[in-house]
Amino acid sequence: LEPLPRAEDAEQPSTITNIMSSNNTIVSFATGLVSRLAATIPTLSSTNNDGDNKTTSSSELLTQLLNDISTPQSLQDLFVLTTIVVIALEILNQLVYHVPTLLQNLLTANDEKKKKKAIPVRGKHLDNFTVKDYTFIMINKCMTGLFVYCYFGYLWSVRKLEEDDSHGDCCNKHGGQGIFTTTNLSIHNTILPLPLLFIIYDFFYTLLHWFLHMKSVYAHVHKHHHFQKAPSRANIDAVNVH
């Protein structure tokens, strides 16, 4: 009789195999997360029992979205998405805060005059955060996850209607391919609309900013924005006062 092989003699999986298995697990997890969240995006039209298309009203769309996103699995997925976004923001914050300083030190290592020269600070720096500051920071970071869900959900749901060469409403039945396919992209629908986009955005932002500076409103909303006159904490200061 031949002796049974010992456990230590068995072939061990290689490092590359382990890495590939881990990557497949991550990709599978991410794909499942995105697919489940995408499934919560309501559709503008649905098929009734007779097989006819039925247009969904705005209130029905909202009800459908709230029902789908409020399930335990969807809330868990949304929490995971928010956590990933917050971690990404923290990494970005550290990069924005430390990389420019590192590059400046490398470029001015042999030049003491340039090393001492810095951007002048105008206004008083907000040295210590209050409970209100930390609350705003946490709320804005968590809202970023919800914003990412809504933004990419919109991009996923809208689709150019081929039959009449126009754009349907949000959440139409042609969802899943974005606003344009790569073959539809051109200078006319990407570069040229940018100036008009900024003009329209700034117009309404100016009106909103003027409203926020009204005496009756300023103290309740916009005053917190002006507490930080010399931001230095990168993304932290940005999300605190915006």
Side-chain angles (χ1 to χ4, degrees):
L1 295 176
E2 295 182 0
L4 295 174
R6 295 177 300 176
E8 55 269 22
D9 295 334
E11 183 178 355
Q12 299 295 326
S14 64
T15 303
I16 297 179
T17 302
N18 291 333
I19 294 176
M20 291 180 63
S21 177
S22 300
N23 288 340
N24 290 337
T25 302
I26 295 173
V27 171
S28 177
F29 171 79
T31 303
L33 175 70
V34 172
S35 299
R36 290 191 298 271
L37 287 176
T40 63
I41 304 296
T43 54
L44 185 63
S45 60
S46 58
T47 305
N48 56 24
N49 297 331
D50 298 330
D52 299 326
N53 288 334
K54 174 187 175 184
T55 302
T56 309
S57 65
S58 299
S59 60
E60 290 174 331
L61 284 174
L62 181 60
T63 302
Q64 181 183 344
L65 174 62
L66 292 177
N67 290 337
D68 291 341
I69 201 63
S70 61
T71 62
Q73 182 63 62
S74 297
L75 291 175
Q76 177 182 331
D77 290 337
L78 193 58
F79 174 78
V80 172
L81 174 65
T82 301
T83 303
I84 294 173
V85 170
V86 170
I87 292 175
L89 285 176
E90 289 302 320
I91 295 174
L92 176 63
N93 179 64
Q94 295 300 320
L95 290 175
V96 171
Y97 188 81
H98 293 290
V99 170
T101 303
L102 178 62
L103 292 177
Q104 183 183 20
N105 292 336
L106 292 174
L107 295 174
T108 61
N110 301 321
D111 194 334
E112 294 296 328
K113 292 183 179 180
K114 289 184 178 181
K115 186 179 295 185
K116 294 180 180 179
K117 188 178 180 181
I119 299 176
V121 177
R122 298 179 179 179
K124 185 178 179 181
H125 183 267
L126 184 63
D127 296 324
N128 300 313
F129 284 155
T130 64
V131 175
K132 185 177 182 180
D133 292 312
Y134 285 115
T135 302
F136 279 4
I137 292 170
M138 183 56 62
I139 291 175
N140 282 336
K141 283 185 177 181
C142 292
M143 287 296 292
T144 305
L146 184 60
F147 169 80
V148 170
Y149 163 74
C150 294
Y151 177 72
F152 283 100
Y154 172 77
L155 293 181
W156 181 91
S157 62
V158 295
R159 180 67 178 92
K160 187 177 181 182
L161 301 179
E162 301 292 347
E163 58 266 25
D164 59 2
D165 199 35
S166 64
H167 289 281
D169 295 327
C170 175
C171 312
N172 63 65
K173 62 182 180 180
H174 298 278
Q177 300 182 43
I179 300 176
F180 293 107
T181 62
T182 53
T183 56
N184 295 132
L185 294 177
S186 66
I187 295 179
H188 295 85
N189 58 33
T190 54
I191 304 300
L192 294 182
L194 286 178
L196 184 61
L197 170 66
F198 285 110
I199 291 173
I200 295 176
Y201 173 82
D202 283 345
F203 172 76
F204 287 101
Y205 176 80
T206 301
L207 296 180
L208 174 62
H209 199 197
W210 171 79
F211 171 76
L212 293 175
H213 273 271
M214 293 178 62
K215 290 184 178 180
S216 58
V217 180
Y218 178 78
H220 303 288
V221 180
H222 197 53
K223 185 177 180 180
H224 182 77
H225 168 77
H226 290 281
F227 281 149
Q228 179 58 285
K229 295 181 175 62
S232 64
R233 303 178 186 90
N235 181 256
I236 298 298
D237 279 338
V239 299
N240 181 28
V241 296
H242 291 90

